[in-house]
Amino acid sequence: MQSKRRIRRIVIVAIGLFVLLACGWLLNTGRQLLDPRGQSFIQWWTGDDDVKQSLITAQREACPGAPFVLPADGFVGLLYNDPRGPYSGLNPHQGIDIFSSQPVGVTPVYAAYDGYVRREAHWTSALIQRVPQDPLTGEQIWLYYAHMADEQGNDFIEPAFERGVSEVFVEQGTLLGYVGNYDGNIPSRIGAHLHFSLVKDDNGAYMNELDFDNTLDLTPYLGMEVNYDSADGRRVTCVP
Ligand SMILES: [Zn+2]
């Protein structure tokens, strides 16, 4: 009798928890559907070519007064500090994702600023660039570019940046490679995009770029509103 009652109590608690979680998920999904930032994201995946073109930022020059250039053309779909997608409020996106309307291996990726490129020996699709002097703070910083390979891991990185190289100086605008969709899975679970982030330095070494606290908001560096908290969901452009 005692154990039956206990089982019933456990079942009721489990159902209650499930209902709570389901409500939370529904609320969150509903909020995202109503949010213009979420609507543009849905438009990108479901819209025709005209819709896609209307969301793409193609900006090869630095915005007025800003030090960095946007490293690739595309739809800046996941923003800095973004809680959507695989991210959350506790673990927001550490950079920006620039989605390409082209197949993988077509959209060029350029250096956002002058600096020294490194590619760790085990990196399939990523490069990191040391910038000795942050143009805004004077500190050393690092720029991280990822997903420049196809889902099989064939990379689209320029030969100058083969695995294991470091301290290869490049000027702003130098071609680094091409946008891909590598995420370590086949089939890849992501569309073709460049992940770009600004990573803090710790005594001459780059910090873990996957930790949001180790990254900085790219907004003042790009002269574009790319922080989730202040972006309006429309196509990202130079801040007037
Ligand atoms: Zn990303």
Side-chain angles (χ1 to χ4, degrees):
M1 236 12 217
Q2 195 81 22
S3 68
K4 253 191 189 165
R5 209 176 293 160
R6 193 191 291 166
I7 289 171
R8 198 184 303 157
R9 215 178 297 153
I10 290 171
V11 169
I12 289 170
V13 169
I15 291 173
L17 270 176
F18 176 78
V19 168
L20 259 180
L21 281 173
C23 286
W25 182 83
L26 270 176
L27 259 177
N28 201 23
T29 307
R31 213 174 43 206
Q32 288 188 14
L33 285 176
L34 293 174
D35 185 326
R37 291 164 295 196
Q39 285 164 358
S40 58
F41 202 74
I42 292 166
Q43 282 175 345
W44 175 258
W45 297 109
T46 58
D48 58 18
D49 271 358
D50 286 349
V51 170
K52 287 196 171 180
Q53 287 307 319
S54 73
L55 291 168
I56 287 176
T57 303
Q59 174 76 32
R60 286 294 102 240
E61 305 277 307
C63 289
F68 290 2
V69 294
L70 192 67
D73 291 346
F75 167 49
V76 184
L78 272 186
L79 299 152
Y80 183 72
N81 190 30
D82 203 319
R84 298 172 297 170
Y87 304 96
S88 66
L90 287 177
N91 177 34
H93 193 216
Q94 323 87 345
I96 57 171
D97 284 349
I98 308 170
F99 289 87
S100 175
S101 60
Q102 310 274 1
V104 297
V106 175
T107 305
V109 176
Y110 301 103
Y113 198 66
D114 295 357
Y116 299 83
V117 173
R118 176 189 299 190
R119 182 176 178 191
E120 303 295 358
H122 61 284
W123 281 4
T124 302
S125 77
L127 296 174
I128 199 158
Q129 186 185 14
R130 182 175 72 83
V131 174
Q133 269 201 320
D134 179 325
L136 300 186
T137 68
E139 305 279 310
Q140 177 157 286
I141 49 167
W142 299 78
L143 304 180
Y144 180 69
Y145 311 80
H147 306 310
M148 290 180 283
D150 69 12
E151 61 186 357
Q152 278 88 20
N154 304 303
D155 74 67
F156 305 127
I157 293 176
E158 285 297 282
F161 316 113
E162 60 188 10
R163 290 168 186 258
V165 301
S166 69
E167 293 295 300
V168 182
F169 179 74
V170 299
E171 285 182 351
Q172 180 177 61
T174 301
L175 179 67
L176 301 178
Y178 297 86
V179 173
N181 64 350
Y182 177 77
D183 70 348
N185 291 291
I186 301 174
S188 174
R189 291 170 305 190
I190 59 173
H193 77 276
L194 177 75
H195 172 90
F196 176 56
S197 66
L198 204 176
V199 183
K200 292 185 204 168
D201 182 272
D202 180 23
N203 285 313
Y206 60 86
M207 298 177 82
N208 180 358
E209 75 284 351
L210 298 177
D211 188 339
F212 179 79
D213 292 337
N214 297 340
T215 61
L216 294 171
D217 183 0
L218 284 159
T219 296
Y221 295 85
L222 291 170
M224 297 172 172
E225 193 51 80
V226 293
N227 190 314
Y228 182 81
D229 284 345
S230 22
D232 59 12
R234 282 194 282 261
R235 180 167 63 94
V236 168
T237 55
C238 293
V239 174

